[in-house]
Amino acid sequence: MSVLLADVLVWDPSRASGMTGPTDVLVVDDTIAAIGETARAGAPTGARTIDGHEHHVVLPGLVNAHFHSPANHLKGAFRSRPLETFMLYESPADPALRPTPREAYLRTMLGALEMLRTGTTSVQDDAFLMPSPEPEIIDAVMQAYADSGIRATVALDQPELPDTDKLPFLDGLEGLDPEVAAALRAPAPAAAAELLGAYDHLVGTWHGAAGGRLSAAVSISAPQRVSPEYWGALDDLSRAHDLPVFAHVLETRTQRALSVPGTGQDRFAGRSLVQYADDLGLLNDRVNVIHAVWVDDDDLDRIAAAGAVVAHNPVSNLRLGSGVMPFRAMRDRGIPVALGVDEAICDDTVNTWGVVKQAGLVHNVSGRDPEDWPSPAEVLDALWEGGAAAMRRTGRIGRVAVGAQADLAVLDLHAPAFTPFNDLRGQLVYCESGGSVRATLVAGVVVAEGGRVVSVDEAALLAEARELHAARRPALERTWAEADAILPAVDAVVRRAARTDVGMNRWIG
Ligand SMILES: [Zn+2]
C-alpha cells in the first residue's frame, strides 16, 4: 500500500517558517519513503494520491503520551476535586462495574476515535482494568486499538497496596466509622503474582502485534501504591523488553506531604517520592515520570541524571487542582517533556490539541521573566520529540522524515484556525482544535479522513457504546453513593496536606 501526498507543505522545524514546500511526500507501506522531487517519480503504480492543493500541511501525528482509557465513558461526569478524593469516584474496584469484553472494547474505541479524528496517531494508555486485569479484558482493549488503526503502548495501572499505605495522615483511622476504616484498609483487588501473570499475557500476546503498532509498557501506577518488590519485578520486565515504565510521581501536594517526617508513612523516611525511587535504584531512562508537579530542585536533578522523561498533563492538573509543573526548570536541565491528555474524565476530551494549547498558556503565570515562558516551538517539541522519547521511539515517530514511520496528520491551512495565515507554530499551539485535520495516517494507512474515522464503522460503534453505558448507569451511581461515605475521611487527609508546610508551592492565585 502506497500513498502519495501531492502538492503539500511539510513540517520542518529547522526552518524559520516551520515548513517547506509545496512538495510531495511518498509513503510506502508503513514508512515515509521519499520527500521532494523523487517522491512523485518513485510512486508505485496503484499508489493512492491525496492532493494537498498547495495549502495542506503534513505534520507528524500527535503523541498523547499519557492516558487512561478506562474512563473514556465518563467525560464531564464529575465536579472538580483533588486527585485523592476524585479517585474514589473514578476507579472503584467494585465487581458490579466489571466490564464485559465488549464494553471494554467499546470504551477503548471511544478514545481512539476521538484521537484519530483530531490527528493523534500515538497513545500511551496506562489502563487501570478494575477490579482486576483479566486476559479477556486486556485482549478487548488491545483489539480495539488494533481495529482502530492507532499506535498504542499499553500498561496495566494497578495499585498493589491498600489506601492506608498510600496516604499521609491516616493516624486517626480508629475514630472512623468501622466500614469506612475497613474500606481504606482493604487490600488491593489483585496481588503482585496475579498482576505479573497479566503482564505475561499482555507482553506475550500483544507486544509488537499489528506490525509493531501495538506494544506493552509496565506501570507502577505510583511509587506509594506498590511495594519495592513488585516495582523491581516490573523494572526487570521493562529492561528485558525495553518497555517504558509509567509512574505517577508527585502529582499533588498530598503526595509531597508523604515526605514530611511524622505524616505516617515511615518507609519514605523524609525522602521525596523521586528520592525514594532513586534510592531503590528504580529511576532510569525508561521511566515516564508522570505529572512531576510538586518536585524540588533535587528531584529535578535526579530525574535529569537518570535520563527519565516527564509526561506533562496541564489540563488534568488544572481540572484536579493539582498545581502547575515547573516547565522551565525541567527544560533548563534538558529533561525531555512529553504531553498527555491524562484522562477523558479530567480533561475532559481525548483531543491532544487542548493539551498543546494549555501547555502554551499555563506556564505564563509562573511569575518568571516572559522570556522564560514556553515558546510555541518548545511546546511542539514537547508534543513530538518529547512524545517520541516517552515511547522510546525517538527518530521513528514525531518527525516527517524519510525513513520515519508514516504517522501523519494533514491539516488544511485554509481552515478557520489558519485564516489568515500568520505563523504556523503560533497557530498550531494557540488556534488549532483538531478542526483543520483533513486526514490522519498511522503506519502508512489512512485511518481518518474528512473528519471521520474510516478504519471502523464509527456510527455503529458510537450507537452501541451509548446503549451499553446507559445500561451500566445504575451500577455506576450506586458506587458513587458508596464513595460519598468514604469521602469525608479522604477529604480530611487532603485538607491536612494543604495546611502542611511542604517547602514549596505549586498553586497560584
Ligand atoms: Zn494519569
Side-chain angles (χ1 to χ4, degrees):
M1 176 69 191
S2 304
V3 179
L4 181 70
L5 302 167
D7 294 321
V8 288
L9 304 161
V10 177
W11 170 249
D12 181 352
S14 73
R15 297 171 79 99
S17 67
M19 59 187 173
T20 184
T23 184
D24 306 311
V25 177
L26 175 64
V27 171
V28 176
D29 299 327
D30 63 357
T31 303
I32 299 171
I35 300 173
E37 286 176 9
T38 57
R40 198 174 293 238
T45 341
R48 183 184 167 191
T49 298
I50 299 178
D51 193 345
H53 310 285
E54 301 191 356
H55 58 83
H56 288 184
V57 61
V58 179
L59 304 173
L62 280 64
V63 181
N64 178 9
H66 179 59
F67 186 57
H68 305 276
S69 69
N72 281 351
H73 57 305
L74 293 171
K75 276 183 211 158
F78 296 154
R79 52 164 279 189
S80 294
R81 294 181 190 281
L83 174 80
E84 289 75 15
T85 49
F86 164 84
M87 285 179 73
L88 298 173
Y89 299 85
E90 171 209 33
S91 54
D94 191 315
L97 293 185
R98 184 187 303 275
T100 64
R102 186 64 184 169
E103 283 173 299
Y105 177 91
L106 290 166
R107 191 173 72 183
T108 311
M109 190 62 89
L110 289 176
L113 295 176
E114 195 172 348
M115 285 186 273
L116 292 173
R117 273 179 173 234
T118 49
T120 294
T121 52
S122 288
V123 61
Q124 295 204 109
D125 186 359
D126 196 15
F128 49 83
L129 300 178
M130 306 304 273
S132 58
E134 288 100 359
E136 58 271 26
I137 301 300
I138 293 172
D139 292 345
V141 169
M142 299 307 288
Q143 193 62 51
Y145 285 133
D147 294 351
S148 72
I150 202 167
R151 185 178 305 281
T153 294
V154 180
L156 309 172
D157 173 8
Q158 315 290 145
E160 186 221 2
L161 298 176
D163 285 335
T164 42
D165 286 342
K166 300 176 206 163
L167 294 169
F169 309 119
L170 276 178
D171 41 342
L173 216 55
E174 297 70 30
L176 292 177
D177 174 282
E179 276 190 36
V180 172
L184 292 171
R185 286 196 186 99
E194 184 187 340
L195 296 176
L196 291 171
Y199 271 107
D200 283 345
H201 178 76
L202 173 68
V203 175
T205 311
W206 293 101
H207 185 55
R213 190 161 52 75
L214 305 181
S215 58
V218 299
S219 173
I220 63 155
S221 190
Q224 72 278 18
R225 298 177 194 150
V226 292
S227 66
E229 294 74 26
Y230 177 55
W231 189 346
L234 291 180
D235 185 65
D236 289 344
L237 190 60
S238 150
R239 190 180 310 103
H241 300 277
D242 193 27
L243 313 179
V245 180
F246 299 159
H248 295 75
V249 181
L250 293 171
E251 178 175 357
T252 66
R253 188 182 180 112
T254 302
Q255 293 169 10
R256 185 80 213 181
L258 288 166
S259 66
V260 176
T263 57
Q265 297 295 353
D266 294 341
R267 70 188 187 281
F268 303 119
R271 296 169 295 178
S272 80
L273 294 170
V274 171
Q275 198 181 345
Y276 171 72
D278 201 13
D279 287 355
L280 290 173
L282 294 169
L283 192 63
N284 55 54
D285 65 347
R286 283 172 274 110
V287 177
N288 282 201
V289 179
I290 302 158
H291 299 300
V293 174
W294 293 81
V295 287
D296 63 15
D297 285 347
D298 176 68
D299 295 326
L300 290 171
D301 290 343
R302 290 169 188 269
I303 291 168
V309 180
V310 167
H312 180 31
N313 308 272
V315 177
S316 163
N317 292 159
L318 294 180
R319 179 79 149 93
L320 304 184
S322 301
V324 180
M325 187 196 83
F327 181 89
R328 178 58 54 206
M330 291 176 182
R331 295 284 299 197
D332 283 349
R333 286 169 171 80
I335 298 170
V337 175
L339 302 180
V341 159
D342 200 0
E343 211 174 3
I345 194 176
C346 61
D347 183 287
D348 294 53
T349 73
V350 195
N351 182 345
T352 310
W353 292 106
V355 176
V356 169
K357 180 165 182 167
Q358 193 54 258
L361 293 178
V362 71
H363 303 289
N364 298 359
V365 294
S366 61
R368 284 175 167 265
D369 187 289
E371 294 300 317
D372 281 347
W373 299 355
S375 67
E378 284 181 301
V379 174
L380 295 171
D381 179 70
L383 170 67
W384 286 316
E385 292 296 333
M391 296 184 79
R392 304 189 67 67
R393 289 174 188 266
T394 296
R396 287 180 284 160
I397 62 168
R399 296 180 190 176
V400 187
V402 173
Q405 283 286 321
D407 289 11
L408 304 168
V410 182
L411 272 64
D412 184 357
L413 298 187
H414 284 185
F418 296 92
T419 301
F421 183 78
N422 295 303
D423 177 80
L424 179 64
R425 294 182 183 88
Q427 281 167 291
L428 286 171
V429 171
Y430 301 123
C431 310
E432 175 57 11
S433 62
S436 314
V437 176
R438 294 294 171 263
T440 306
L441 287 78
V442 184
V445 177
V446 178
V447 287
E449 204 171 5
R452 302 186 69 81
V453 176
V454 295
S455 49
V456 291
D457 185 344
E458 207 185 32
L461 289 165
L462 292 175
E464 192 182 357
R466 281 192 291 274
E467 188 182 319
L468 288 183
H469 289 298
R472 280 284 178 176
R473 183 82 190 183
L476 206 52
E477 286 176 359
R478 188 179 53 69
T479 67
W480 293 346
E482 288 171 10
D484 286 343
I486 305 170
L487 177 65
V490 180
D491 190 53
V493 166
V494 174
R495 285 169 192 274
R496 271 185 73 177
R499 293 193 303 269
T500 301
D501 181 1
V502 297
M504 67 175 72
N505 188 28
R506 298 284 179 242
W507 288 329
I508 53 172

